[in-house]
Amino acid sequence: VKVTPDVESILERNSIRIGRVFVDRRGPAEIRFGIGDTVSVTIFEAAAGGLFIPVDAGVRPGNYVTLPNQPVDTQGNITVPYAGPIKAQGRTAVQVQTAIVNALKNRALEPQAVVALVDQKASSISVLGEVGTPSRFPASASGERLLDAISRAGGPRNPGYDTFVMLEREGRQATAPFGSLLNEPTNNIYVRPQDTIYVFTQPQTFVAFGASGQQGQFVFGAWRLSIAEALGKTSGLNDNLADPASVYLYRGERREVAEQLGIDCSRFSGPVVPVIYNLNLRDPAGYFLATKFEMRNKDVIFTSNSKSVESSKLLTYLRLI
């Protein structure tokens, strides 16, 4: 596949990013009760002598009664005297308050209810891996983004350019470099209750062969590296050997990406298709394309010898004879 602006555009659209997998751009999620949460219920009546407040309530601070704290049971209910089981699972505090009032309005004197979450367990967020203090903590009603949640867990322990963040939500996963959360705000999405965030370190490397200035394995040293920067790390091309028009990058692409590139994938089985990208540095435009073409972990760069190299070898051999 020859590297062109269209090819770069396709690769950019299909690069793995959290913001491209989880496209929900809604604001903070409402905190809803779940099984295991501990709930406090306070019931008010308009006057003494009602269902909960005795007639001689003058010594009381107000016409209300606070029920003992209770957890949401395995059926998703809490129990309110004279109202019976009240569904709490999946409801907000306002919705539970309304359900309690509707159940008591024919018995109590103009009842009102205040429901509060005492111990929040069902709507928690887990941050694991290489952070300061891996933990599970309650989701904030004001809303938190990925960086906020990682900060609450003590932040990453290792350099950011080698750190990756994986988000798991409702059976789906997406991974992105930690640097992309800082430099690409669309990846710093709101976390939701029951999300799991895993922070891990994976040094990114690539291998260079052929007529480059140096051969071997090189580390990225940054969260994102272009092929131009990668060639720079290998001391560029060997002026005596390299063909600038024959710089190749070997990579396994996902089948759907290969199909978008116009590759006939019928010869290959499995989800990964081997692709060889050809970058032409004889064309000045190739240098601009090289600054945008993003490297990936374990990529292989091969720079081919110029056609004149074999002729030079032959002439050198003849001269020795």
Side-chain angles (χ1 to χ4, degrees), residues 76-88:
N77 300 325
I78 59 173
T79 301
V80 176
Y82 305 107
I86 300 294
K87 186 71 174 180

Side-chain angles (χ1 to χ4, degrees), residues 27 64 91 94 135 143 151 164 173 176 179 195 200 203 227-228 269 282:
Y64 66 88
R91 288 181 169 180
V94 174
S135 58
S151 298
F164 286 79
Q173 293 182 351
D195 278 358
F200 62 97
I227 191 172
S269 60
R282 287 191 184 277

Side-chain angles (χ1 to χ4, degrees), residues 62-300:
N63 295 326
Y64 66 88
V65 59
T66 300
L67 304 181
N69 295 342
Q70 58 180 310
V72 179
D73 61 24
T74 55
Q75 303 300 316
N77 300 325
I78 59 173
T79 301
V80 176
Y82 305 107
I86 300 294
K87 186 71 174 180
Q89 183 181 10
R91 288 181 169 180
T92 63
V94 174
Q95 292 171 331
V96 176
Q97 290 168 184
T98 301
I100 294 174
V101 170
N102 290 337
L104 295 175
K105 63 183 178 181
N106 294 327
R107 296 187 177 187
L109 298 176
E110 299 181 18
Q112 298 293 321
V114 175
V115 177
L117 188 57
V118 177
D119 187 10
Q120 183 179 339
K121 293 182 178 179
S123 53
S124 298
I125 299 167
S126 298
V127 181
L128 310 173
E130 298 178 356
V131 292
T133 53
S135 58
R136 180 179 176 87
F137 46 80
S140 172
S142 61
E144 290 180 313
R145 296 183 181 270
L146 282 171
L147 287 176
D148 300 324
I150 294 173
S151 298
R152 286 181 66 178
R157 289 199 302 237
N158 296 305
Y161 56 81
D162 280 340
T163 300
F164 286 79
V165 178
M166 184 189 74
L167 172 64
E168 181 176 358
R169 175 184 297 171
E170 297 177 352
R172 301 174 63 198
Q173 293 182 351
T175 303
F178 180 77
S180 70
L181 303 184
L182 300 170
N183 295 277
E184 299 174 356
T186 54
N187 294 306
N188 190 27
I189 62 176
Y190 279 105
V191 293
R192 307 285 181 192
Q194 303 304 325
D195 278 358
T196 299
I197 303 168
Y198 178 59
V199 180
F200 62 97
T201 299
Q202 184 182 36
Q204 300 185 90
T205 62
F206 69 94
V207 177
F209 293 122
S212 57
Q214 298 179 24
Q215 295 82 39
Q217 186 180 53
F218 301 86
V219 296
F220 279 27
W223 75 272
R224 180 167 56 186
L225 189 74
S226 69
I227 191 172
E229 294 169 319
L231 290 172
K233 281 181 172 289
T234 66
S235 301
L237 306 184
N238 189 322
D239 190 49
N240 297 321
L241 300 175
D243 178 7
S246 301
V247 178
Y248 301 98
L249 184 137
Y250 294 74
R251 173 188 295 170
E253 292 286 6
R254 304 196 313 274
R255 176 173 290 270
E256 56 268 26
V257 177
E259 290 174 347
Q260 293 179 38
L261 293 173
I263 298 172
D264 180 11
C265 300
S266 60
R267 296 177 296 155
F268 305 99
S269 60
V272 178
V273 176
V275 179
I276 304 172
Y277 295 98
N278 175 215
L279 180 65
N280 182 7
L281 295 181
R282 287 191 184 277
D283 182 359
Y287 290 88
F288 293 96
L289 294 173
T291 61
K292 296 181 180 180
F293 192 98
E294 187 173 338
M295 296 284 292
R296 293 185 191 164
N297 191 28
K298 306 305 180 185
D299 276 353
V300 176

